[in-house]
Amino acid sequence: MRIALTIAGSDSGGGAGIQADLKTFAAFGVFGTSAITAITAQNTLRVERADALDPTLVGAQIRAVATDLHPHAAKTGMLANAAIIDTVIACVTEFNIHPLVVDPVMVASSGDVLLEPEAVVALRSRLLPLADLITPNLAEAEVLTGQPVRNESEMRAAAIALVEMGASAALVKGGHLSGDEMVDLLFDGREFHALRARRLPADNPHGTGCTLSAAIAAGLARGVSLPLAVSRGVEYVRRAIETAPGLGRGRGPLNHFPESSPTRE
């Protein structure tokens, strides 16, 4: 069995973060390991509290995994602050943890900020160059590149800029574009791959970014090509949205096991 590692925050509501990542790894038949960066108290309505862990503890978790269960791929999610980012960089470099998918989590779907301002600089200048793939949404792409990203043309420009900044590849997610069609743009450093689909009638479900990056990491851990890992990940998230269980009173979680959903009675 292949092994994947998630380095991210814990979501007490179970819809995003470590919890979503481990469920996604399991759905793809990959053994999931984890290094928790922060503890959040949250549900489908809001993030009530978020406490970053000591960077040395984050590093200890990664080292414990890497020295015994060395991952075939890894992903990062919520990293909270610059000190944790630098710890992750040191561990990724020391143990050659690749392929590495970087999901630049900055703001929760509820609007709560999950990354300190100085950490954005660390992510952009020091972590991004280690990324085999970076997966920003439109707002995150704007912050990272410093340029507007509000249509498909600007998404293409942002993806190129992110690769020029050091990432091996960039997937700019267009879920927040207007219109009936959704498009995600993958630039692998040589060519673009556009993934187009009709917009689903979903009200910004919780955990889509975490789930997609975990699905891609799982595919890479299994040895598939980057374009195939991305397309399979996008399709998996669509099925997870379509079969979402409708839990909570806010932005509800996905169904991370859409192929084994029980029949509704």
Side-chain angles (χ1 to χ4, degrees), residues 116-151:
E116 295 179 358
E118 63 270 21
V120 175
V121 176
L123 192 155
R124 181 193 297 120
S125 62
R126 300 195 290 277
L127 181 60
L128 187 150
L130 293 179
D132 294 282
L133 176 70
I134 188 163
T135 63
N137 59 28
L138 300 184
E140 292 160 348
E142 286 193 349
V143 172
L144 290 171
T145 64
Q147 60 192 42
V149 187
R150 297 165 192 168
N151 55 49

PDB file of all heavy atoms in Angstrom, residues 116-151:
ATOM      1  N   GLU A 116      -1.268  33.828   9.131  1.00  0.00           N
ATOM      2  CA  GLU A 116      -0.793  35.139   9.552  1.00  0.00           C
ATOM      3  C   GLU A 116      -0.133  35.866   8.378  1.00  0.00           C
ATOM      4  O   GLU A 116       0.462  35.234   7.499  1.00  0.00           O
ATOM      5  CB  GLU A 116       0.210  34.981  10.705  1.00  0.00           C
ATOM      6  CG  GLU A 116      -0.402  34.395  11.974  1.00  0.00           C
ATOM      7  CD  GLU A 116       0.610  34.223  13.097  1.00  0.00           C
ATOM      8  OE1 GLU A 116       1.803  34.537  12.865  1.00  0.00           O
ATOM      9  OE2 GLU A 116       0.205  33.769  14.180  1.00  0.00           O
ATOM     10  N   PRO A 117      -0.238  37.207   8.342  1.00  0.00           N
ATOM     11  CA  PRO A 117       0.276  37.971   7.197  1.00  0.00           C
ATOM     12  C   PRO A 117       1.736  37.688   6.867  1.00  0.00           C
ATOM     13  O   PRO A 117       2.103  37.533   5.698  1.00  0.00           O
ATOM     14  CB  PRO A 117       0.069  39.428   7.636  1.00  0.00           C
ATOM     15  CG  PRO A 117      -1.085  39.366   8.583  1.00  0.00           C
ATOM     16  CD  PRO A 117      -0.928  38.069   9.325  1.00  0.00           C
ATOM     17  N   GLU A 118       2.605  37.625   7.890  1.00  0.00           N
ATOM     18  CA  GLU A 118       4.027  37.389   7.609  1.00  0.00           C
ATOM     19  C   GLU A 118       4.278  35.973   7.065  1.00  0.00           C
ATOM     20  O   GLU A 118       5.281  35.715   6.411  1.00  0.00           O
ATOM     21  CB  GLU A 118       4.872  37.627   8.856  1.00  0.00           C
ATOM     22  CG  GLU A 118       4.579  36.700  10.026  1.00  0.00           C
ATOM     23  CD  GLU A 118       3.510  37.233  10.956  1.00  0.00           C
ATOM     24  OE1 GLU A 118       2.707  38.091  10.532  1.00  0.00           O
ATOM     25  OE2 GLU A 118       3.487  36.794  12.117  1.00  0.00           O
ATOM     26  N   ALA A 119       3.314  35.081   7.328  1.00  0.00           N
ATOM     27  CA  ALA A 119       3.453  33.726   6.823  1.00  0.00           C
ATOM     28  C   ALA A 119       3.232  33.662   5.318  1.00  0.00           C
ATOM     29  O   ALA A 119       3.745  32.770   4.645  1.00  0.00           O
ATOM     30  CB  ALA A 119       2.480  32.799   7.536  1.00  0.00           C
ATOM     31  N   VAL A 120       2.460  34.609   4.783  1.00  0.00           N
ATOM     32  CA  VAL A 120       2.242  34.645   3.340  1.00  0.00           C
ATOM     33  C   VAL A 120       3.571  34.853   2.621  1.00  0.00           C
ATOM     34  O   VAL A 120       3.847  34.228   1.588  1.00  0.00           O
ATOM     35  CB  VAL A 120       1.246  35.761   2.969  1.00  0.00           C
ATOM     36  CG1 VAL A 120       1.118  35.887   1.454  1.00  0.00           C
ATOM     37  CG2 VAL A 120      -0.111  35.500   3.601  1.00  0.00           C
ATOM     38  N   VAL A 121       4.414  35.704   3.160  1.00  0.00           N
ATOM     39  CA  VAL A 121       5.728  35.958   2.568  1.00  0.00           C
ATOM     40  C   VAL A 121       6.571  34.685   2.596  1.00  0.00           C
ATOM     41  O   VAL A 121       7.228  34.336   1.603  1.00  0.00           O
ATOM     42  CB  VAL A 121       6.452  37.100   3.313  1.00  0.00           C
ATOM     43  CG1 VAL A 121       7.860  37.293   2.760  1.00  0.00           C
ATOM     44  CG2 VAL A 121       5.647  38.390   3.206  1.00  0.00           C
ATOM     45  N   ALA A 122       6.543  33.976   3.727  1.00  0.00           N
ATOM     46  CA  ALA A 122       7.314  32.736   3.843  1.00  0.00           C
ATOM     47  C   ALA A 122       6.816  31.688   2.867  1.00  0.00           C
ATOM     48  O   ALA A 122       7.598  30.976   2.233  1.00  0.00           O
ATOM     49  CB  ALA A 122       7.231  32.213   5.280  1.00  0.00           C
ATOM     50  N   LEU A 123       5.492  31.604   2.731  1.00  0.00           N
ATOM     51  CA  LEU A 123       4.925  30.622   1.797  1.00  0.00           C
ATOM     52  C   LEU A 123       5.328  30.955   0.368  1.00  0.00           C
ATOM     53  O   LEU A 123       5.758  30.076  -0.392  1.00  0.00           O
ATOM     54  CB  LEU A 123       3.404  30.603   1.938  1.00  0.00           C
ATOM     55  CG  LEU A 123       2.645  29.452   1.267  1.00  0.00           C
ATOM     56  CD1 LEU A 123       1.316  29.215   1.966  1.00  0.00           C
ATOM     57  CD2 LEU A 123       2.400  29.720  -0.216  1.00  0.00           C
ATOM     58  N   ARG A 124       5.207  32.229   0.015  1.00  0.00           N
ATOM     59  CA  ARG A 124       5.498  32.647  -1.356  1.00  0.00           C
ATOM     60  C   ARG A 124       6.982  32.482  -1.701  1.00  0.00           C
ATOM     61  O   ARG A 124       7.329  31.975  -2.774  1.00  0.00           O
ATOM     62  CB  ARG A 124       5.078  34.099  -1.548  1.00  0.00           C
ATOM     63  CG  ARG A 124       5.315  34.624  -2.964  1.00  0.00           C
ATOM     64  CD  ARG A 124       5.196  36.143  -3.030  1.00  0.00           C
ATOM     65  NE  ARG A 124       3.865  36.611  -2.684  1.00  0.00           N
ATOM     66  CZ  ARG A 124       3.594  37.427  -1.670  1.00  0.00           C
ATOM     67  NH1 ARG A 124       4.571  37.823  -0.858  1.00  0.00           N
ATOM     68  NH2 ARG A 124       2.372  37.819  -1.443  1.00  0.00           N
ATOM     69  N   SER A 125       7.843  32.893  -0.803  1.00  0.00           N
ATOM     70  CA  SER A 125       9.264  32.952  -1.148  1.00  0.00           C
ATOM     71  C   SER A 125      10.040  31.688  -0.825  1.00  0.00           C
ATOM     72  O   SER A 125      11.046  31.395  -1.490  1.00  0.00           O
ATOM     73  CB  SER A 125       9.915  34.145  -0.419  1.00  0.00           C
ATOM     74  OG  SER A 125       9.831  33.972   0.994  1.00  0.00           O
ATOM     75  N   ARG A 126       9.576  30.910   0.163  1.00  0.00           N
ATOM     76  CA  ARG A 126      10.388  29.776   0.600  1.00  0.00           C
ATOM     77  C   ARG A 126       9.734  28.407   0.401  1.00  0.00           C
ATOM     78  O   ARG A 126      10.423  27.430   0.082  1.00  0.00           O
ATOM     79  CB  ARG A 126      10.773  29.962   2.079  1.00  0.00           C
ATOM     80  CG  ARG A 126      11.567  31.231   2.323  1.00  0.00           C
ATOM     81  CD  ARG A 126      12.254  31.245   3.663  1.00  0.00           C
ATOM     82  NE  ARG A 126      11.370  31.381   4.798  1.00  0.00           N
ATOM     83  CZ  ARG A 126      10.897  32.547   5.250  1.00  0.00           C
ATOM     84  NH1 ARG A 126      11.197  33.668   4.632  1.00  0.00           N
ATOM     85  NH2 ARG A 126      10.119  32.606   6.319  1.00  0.00           N
ATOM     86  N   LEU A 127       8.396  28.324   0.572  1.00  0.00           N
ATOM     87  CA  LEU A 127       7.739  27.024   0.395  1.00  0.00           C
ATOM     88  C   LEU A 127       7.333  26.786  -1.056  1.00  0.00           C
ATOM     89  O   LEU A 127       7.487  25.670  -1.573  1.00  0.00           O
ATOM     90  CB  LEU A 127       6.510  26.920   1.307  1.00  0.00           C
ATOM     91  CG  LEU A 127       5.737  25.597   1.228  1.00  0.00           C
ATOM     92  CD1 LEU A 127       6.634  24.420   1.621  1.00  0.00           C
ATOM     93  CD2 LEU A 127       4.510  25.636   2.141  1.00  0.00           C
ATOM     94  N   LEU A 128       6.839  27.806  -1.710  1.00  0.00           N
ATOM     95  CA  LEU A 128       6.377  27.650  -3.089  1.00  0.00           C
ATOM     96  C   LEU A 128       7.441  27.023  -4.003  1.00  0.00           C
ATOM     97  O   LEU A 128       7.119  26.156  -4.819  1.00  0.00           O
ATOM     98  CB  LEU A 128       5.900  29.000  -3.626  1.00  0.00           C
ATOM     99  CG  LEU A 128       5.223  29.019  -4.998  1.00  0.00           C
ATOM    100  CD1 LEU A 128       4.208  30.151  -5.061  1.00  0.00           C
ATOM    101  CD2 LEU A 128       6.235  29.180  -6.120  1.00  0.00           C
ATOM    102  N   PRO A 129       8.727  27.404  -3.889  1.00  0.00           N
ATOM    103  CA  PRO A 129       9.730  26.790  -4.765  1.00  0.00           C
ATOM    104  C   PRO A 129       9.941  25.295  -4.540  1.00  0.00           C
ATOM    105  O   PRO A 129      10.557  24.634  -5.388  1.00  0.00           O
ATOM    106  CB  PRO A 129      11.009  27.581  -4.432  1.00  0.00           C
ATOM    107  CG  PRO A 129      10.517  28.902  -3.953  1.00  0.00           C
ATOM    108  CD  PRO A 129       9.277  28.561  -3.162  1.00  0.00           C
ATOM    109  N   LEU A 130       9.438  24.753  -3.447  1.00  0.00           N
ATOM    110  CA  LEU A 130       9.550  23.315  -3.188  1.00  0.00           C
ATOM    111  C   LEU A 130       8.340  22.547  -3.711  1.00  0.00           C
ATOM    112  O   LEU A 130       8.346  21.312  -3.719  1.00  0.00           O
ATOM    113  CB  LEU A 130       9.686  23.049  -1.679  1.00  0.00           C
ATOM    114  CG  LEU A 130      10.972  23.521  -1.000  1.00  0.00           C
ATOM    115  CD1 LEU A 130      10.913  23.190   0.494  1.00  0.00           C
ATOM    116  CD2 LEU A 130      12.189  22.888  -1.635  1.00  0.00           C
ATOM    117  N   ALA A 131       7.309  23.274  -4.146  1.00  0.00           N
ATOM    118  CA  ALA A 131       6.049  22.638  -4.523  1.00  0.00           C
ATOM    119  C   ALA A 131       6.144  21.970  -5.893  1.00  0.00           C
ATOM    120  O   ALA A 131       6.548  22.602  -6.874  1.00  0.00           O
ATOM    121  CB  ALA A 131       4.924  23.658  -4.520  1.00  0.00           C
ATOM    122  N   ASP A 132       5.753  20.707  -5.945  1.00  0.00           N
ATOM    123  CA  ASP A 132       5.576  20.055  -7.242  1.00  0.00           C
ATOM    124  C   ASP A 132       4.274  20.513  -7.869  1.00  0.00           C
ATOM    125  O   ASP A 132       4.116  20.462  -9.089  1.00  0.00           O
ATOM    126  CB  ASP A 132       5.585  18.538  -7.059  1.00  0.00           C
ATOM    127  CG  ASP A 132       6.949  18.045  -6.598  1.00  0.00           C
ATOM    128  OD1 ASP A 132       7.852  17.945  -7.437  1.00  0.00           O
ATOM    129  OD2 ASP A 132       7.115  17.783  -5.384  1.00  0.00           O
ATOM    130  N   LEU A 133       3.345  20.955  -7.020  1.00  0.00           N
ATOM    131  CA  LEU A 133       2.087  21.542  -7.482  1.00  0.00           C
ATOM    132  C   LEU A 133       1.573  22.471  -6.405  1.00  0.00           C
ATOM    133  O   LEU A 133       1.579  22.121  -5.222  1.00  0.00           O
ATOM    134  CB  LEU A 133       1.040  20.450  -7.755  1.00  0.00           C
ATOM    135  CG  LEU A 133      -0.359  20.956  -8.143  1.00  0.00           C
ATOM    136  CD1 LEU A 133      -0.331  21.584  -9.538  1.00  0.00           C
ATOM    137  CD2 LEU A 133      -1.387  19.821  -8.087  1.00  0.00           C
ATOM    138  N   ILE A 134       1.110  23.655  -6.814  1.00  0.00           N
ATOM    139  CA  ILE A 134       0.435  24.566  -5.891  1.00  0.00           C
ATOM    140  C   ILE A 134      -0.992  24.741  -6.384  1.00  0.00           C
ATOM    141  O   ILE A 134      -1.232  24.799  -7.594  1.00  0.00           O
ATOM    142  CB  ILE A 134       1.162  25.916  -5.778  1.00  0.00           C
ATOM    143  CG1 ILE A 134       0.534  26.773  -4.657  1.00  0.00           C
ATOM    144  CG2 ILE A 134       1.218  26.675  -7.108  1.00  0.00           C
ATOM    145  CD1 ILE A 134       1.406  27.914  -4.192  1.00  0.00           C
ATOM    146  N   THR A 135      -1.967  24.783  -5.451  1.00  0.00           N
ATOM    147  CA  THR A 135      -3.382  24.709  -5.830  1.00  0.00           C
ATOM    148  C   THR A 135      -4.198  25.887  -5.269  1.00  0.00           C
ATOM    149  O   THR A 135      -5.124  25.695  -4.481  1.00  0.00           O
ATOM    150  CB  THR A 135      -4.007  23.389  -5.347  1.00  0.00           C
ATOM    151  OG1 THR A 135      -3.956  23.347  -3.904  1.00  0.00           O
ATOM    152  CG2 THR A 135      -3.263  22.191  -5.911  1.00  0.00           C
ATOM    153  N   PRO A 136      -3.908  27.109  -5.660  1.00  0.00           N
ATOM    154  CA  PRO A 136      -4.658  28.247  -5.109  1.00  0.00           C
ATOM    155  C   PRO A 136      -6.026  28.422  -5.755  1.00  0.00           C
ATOM    156  O   PRO A 136      -6.236  28.088  -6.931  1.00  0.00           O
ATOM    157  CB  PRO A 136      -3.760  29.435  -5.453  1.00  0.00           C
ATOM    158  CG  PRO A 136      -3.124  29.028  -6.756  1.00  0.00           C
ATOM    159  CD  PRO A 136      -2.876  27.544  -6.613  1.00  0.00           C
ATOM    160  N   ASN A 137      -6.978  28.964  -4.972  1.00  0.00           N
ATOM    161  CA  ASN A 137      -8.212  29.455  -5.573  1.00  0.00           C
ATOM    162  C   ASN A 137      -7.934  30.856  -6.107  1.00  0.00           C
ATOM    163  O   ASN A 137      -6.795  31.352  -6.056  1.00  0.00           O
ATOM    164  CB  ASN A 137      -9.372  29.411  -4.580  1.00  0.00           C
ATOM    165  CG  ASN A 137      -9.124  30.243  -3.331  1.00  0.00           C
ATOM    166  OD1 ASN A 137      -8.389  31.241  -3.360  1.00  0.00           O
ATOM    167  ND2 ASN A 137      -9.711  29.845  -2.223  1.00  0.00           N
ATOM    168  N   LEU A 138      -8.948  31.534  -6.608  1.00  0.00           N
ATOM    169  CA  LEU A 138      -8.726  32.836  -7.234  1.00  0.00           C
ATOM    170  C   LEU A 138      -8.148  33.857  -6.258  1.00  0.00           C
ATOM    171  O   LEU A 138      -7.197  34.578  -6.586  1.00  0.00           O
ATOM    172  CB  LEU A 138     -10.038  33.360  -7.826  1.00  0.00           C
ATOM    173  CG  LEU A 138     -10.700  32.487  -8.904  1.00  0.00           C
ATOM    174  CD1 LEU A 138     -11.934  33.191  -9.454  1.00  0.00           C
ATOM    175  CD2 LEU A 138      -9.736  32.149 -10.020  1.00  0.00           C
ATOM    176  N   ALA A 139      -8.718  33.930  -5.063  1.00  0.00           N
ATOM    177  CA  ALA A 139      -8.254  34.904  -4.075  1.00  0.00           C
ATOM    178  C   ALA A 139      -6.822  34.620  -3.651  1.00  0.00           C
ATOM    179  O   ALA A 139      -6.002  35.539  -3.505  1.00  0.00           O
ATOM    180  CB  ALA A 139      -9.185  34.907  -2.865  1.00  0.00           C
ATOM    181  N   GLU A 140      -6.499  33.355  -3.440  1.00  0.00           N
ATOM    182  CA  GLU A 140      -5.140  32.982  -3.036  1.00  0.00           C
ATOM    183  C   GLU A 140      -4.142  33.262  -4.155  1.00  0.00           C
ATOM    184  O   GLU A 140      -3.014  33.701  -3.905  1.00  0.00           O
ATOM    185  CB  GLU A 140      -5.116  31.510  -2.631  1.00  0.00           C
ATOM    186  CG  GLU A 140      -5.886  31.244  -1.348  1.00  0.00           C
ATOM    187  CD  GLU A 140      -6.287  29.784  -1.175  1.00  0.00           C
ATOM    188  OE1 GLU A 140      -6.175  28.992  -2.136  1.00  0.00           O
ATOM    189  OE2 GLU A 140      -6.733  29.438  -0.066  1.00  0.00           O
ATOM    190  N   ALA A 141      -4.548  33.012  -5.401  1.00  0.00           N
ATOM    191  CA  ALA A 141      -3.671  33.302  -6.536  1.00  0.00           C
ATOM    192  C   ALA A 141      -3.381  34.795  -6.627  1.00  0.00           C
ATOM    193  O   ALA A 141      -2.257  35.214  -6.959  1.00  0.00           O
ATOM    194  CB  ALA A 141      -4.307  32.804  -7.830  1.00  0.00           C
ATOM    195  N   GLU A 142      -4.392  35.623  -6.326  1.00  0.00           N
ATOM    196  CA  GLU A 142      -4.178  37.068  -6.328  1.00  0.00           C
ATOM    197  C   GLU A 142      -3.163  37.480  -5.270  1.00  0.00           C
ATOM    198  O   GLU A 142      -2.272  38.295  -5.533  1.00  0.00           O
ATOM    199  CB  GLU A 142      -5.499  37.799  -6.088  1.00  0.00           C
ATOM    200  CG  GLU A 142      -6.440  37.796  -7.272  1.00  0.00           C
ATOM    201  CD  GLU A 142      -7.589  38.776  -7.101  1.00  0.00           C
ATOM    202  OE1 GLU A 142      -7.768  39.297  -5.969  1.00  0.00           O
ATOM    203  OE2 GLU A 142      -8.298  39.032  -8.096  1.00  0.00           O
ATOM    204  N   VAL A 143      -3.289  36.915  -4.070  1.00  0.00           N
ATOM    205  CA  VAL A 143      -2.364  37.266  -2.992  1.00  0.00           C
ATOM    206  C   VAL A 143      -0.943  36.825  -3.338  1.00  0.00           C
ATOM    207  O   VAL A 143       0.027  37.564  -3.138  1.00  0.00           O
ATOM    208  CB  VAL A 143      -2.813  36.626  -1.667  1.00  0.00           C
ATOM    209  CG1 VAL A 143      -1.755  36.808  -0.589  1.00  0.00           C
ATOM    210  CG2 VAL A 143      -4.136  37.231  -1.199  1.00  0.00           C
ATOM    211  N   LEU A 144      -0.806  35.632  -3.870  1.00  0.00           N
ATOM    212  CA  LEU A 144       0.521  35.093  -4.150  1.00  0.00           C
ATOM    213  C   LEU A 144       1.217  35.812  -5.307  1.00  0.00           C
ATOM    214  O   LEU A 144       2.433  36.026  -5.269  1.00  0.00           O
ATOM    215  CB  LEU A 144       0.420  33.598  -4.456  1.00  0.00           C
ATOM    216  CG  LEU A 144       0.060  32.700  -3.269  1.00  0.00           C
ATOM    217  CD1 LEU A 144      -0.214  31.283  -3.742  1.00  0.00           C
ATOM    218  CD2 LEU A 144       1.180  32.693  -2.226  1.00  0.00           C
ATOM    219  N   THR A 145       0.453  36.172  -6.326  1.00  0.00           N
ATOM    220  CA  THR A 145       1.068  36.785  -7.509  1.00  0.00           C
ATOM    221  C   THR A 145       1.035  38.309  -7.489  1.00  0.00           C
ATOM    222  O   THR A 145       1.783  38.955  -8.224  1.00  0.00           O
ATOM    223  CB  THR A 145       0.361  36.318  -8.800  1.00  0.00           C
ATOM    224  OG1 THR A 145      -1.004  36.777  -8.788  1.00  0.00           O
ATOM    225  CG2 THR A 145       0.395  34.801  -8.903  1.00  0.00           C
ATOM    226  N   GLY A 146       0.144  38.883  -6.682  1.00  0.00           N
ATOM    227  CA  GLY A 146       0.014  40.326  -6.648  1.00  0.00           C
ATOM    228  C   GLY A 146      -0.674  40.908  -7.857  1.00  0.00           C
ATOM    229  O   GLY A 146      -0.551  42.115  -8.138  1.00  0.00           O
ATOM    230  N   GLN A 147      -1.425  40.068  -8.577  1.00  0.00           N
ATOM    231  CA  GLN A 147      -2.137  40.542  -9.758  1.00  0.00           C
ATOM    232  C   GLN A 147      -3.573  40.050  -9.721  1.00  0.00           C
ATOM    233  O   GLN A 147      -3.869  39.036  -9.082  1.00  0.00           O
ATOM    234  CB  GLN A 147      -1.435  40.055 -11.031  1.00  0.00           C
ATOM    235  CG  GLN A 147      -1.340  38.543 -11.147  1.00  0.00           C
ATOM    236  CD  GLN A 147      -0.388  38.096 -12.252  1.00  0.00           C
ATOM    237  OE1 GLN A 147       0.700  38.655 -12.423  1.00  0.00           O
ATOM    238  NE2 GLN A 147      -0.791  37.083 -13.009  1.00  0.00           N
ATOM    239  N   PRO A 148      -4.501  40.762 -10.368  1.00  0.00           N
ATOM    240  CA  PRO A 148      -5.907  40.333 -10.339  1.00  0.00           C
ATOM    241  C   PRO A 148      -6.087  38.988 -11.035  1.00  0.00           C
ATOM    242  O   PRO A 148      -5.456  38.703 -12.054  1.00  0.00           O
ATOM    243  CB  PRO A 148      -6.634  41.453 -11.089  1.00  0.00           C
ATOM    244  CG  PRO A 148      -5.585  42.101 -11.939  1.00  0.00           C
ATOM    245  CD  PRO A 148      -4.317  41.988 -11.160  1.00  0.00           C
ATOM    246  N   VAL A 149      -6.973  38.161 -10.459  1.00  0.00           N
ATOM    247  CA  VAL A 149      -7.275  36.848 -11.044  1.00  0.00           C
ATOM    248  C   VAL A 149      -8.789  36.689 -10.980  1.00  0.00           C
ATOM    249  O   VAL A 149      -9.336  36.152 -10.015  1.00  0.00           O
ATOM    250  CB  VAL A 149      -6.569  35.701 -10.293  1.00  0.00           C
ATOM    251  CG1 VAL A 149      -6.776  34.383 -11.034  1.00  0.00           C
ATOM    252  CG2 VAL A 149      -5.085  35.984 -10.122  1.00  0.00           C
ATOM    253  N   ARG A 150      -9.467  37.160 -12.034  1.00  0.00           N
ATOM    254  CA  ARG A 150     -10.927  37.212 -12.000  1.00  0.00           C
ATOM    255  C   ARG A 150     -11.583  36.644 -13.252  1.00  0.00           C
ATOM    256  O   ARG A 150     -12.798  36.684 -13.379  1.00  0.00           O
ATOM    257  CB  ARG A 150     -11.383  38.667 -11.794  1.00  0.00           C
ATOM    258  CG  ARG A 150     -10.900  39.225 -10.450  1.00  0.00           C
ATOM    259  CD  ARG A 150     -10.997  40.719 -10.366  1.00  0.00           C
ATOM    260  NE  ARG A 150     -10.272  41.215  -9.193  1.00  0.00           N
ATOM    261  CZ  ARG A 150      -9.997  42.496  -8.986  1.00  0.00           C
ATOM    262  NH1 ARG A 150     -10.382  43.411  -9.855  1.00  0.00           N
ATOM    263  NH2 ARG A 150      -9.330  42.859  -7.907  1.00  0.00           N
ATOM    264  N   ASN A 151     -10.786  36.149 -14.176  1.00  0.00           N
ATOM    265  CA  ASN A 151     -11.329  35.512 -15.362  1.00  0.00           C
ATOM    266  C   ASN A 151     -10.322  34.484 -15.863  1.00  0.00           C
ATOM    267  O   ASN A 151      -9.218  34.361 -15.313  1.00  0.00           O
ATOM    268  CB  ASN A 151     -11.661  36.551 -16.447  1.00  0.00           C
ATOM    269  CG  ASN A 151     -10.467  37.423 -16.803  1.00  0.00           C
ATOM    270  OD1 ASN A 151      -9.376  36.924 -17.048  1.00  0.00           O
ATOM    271  ND2 ASN A 151     -10.676  38.739 -16.831  1.00  0.00           N
TER     272      ASN A 151
END
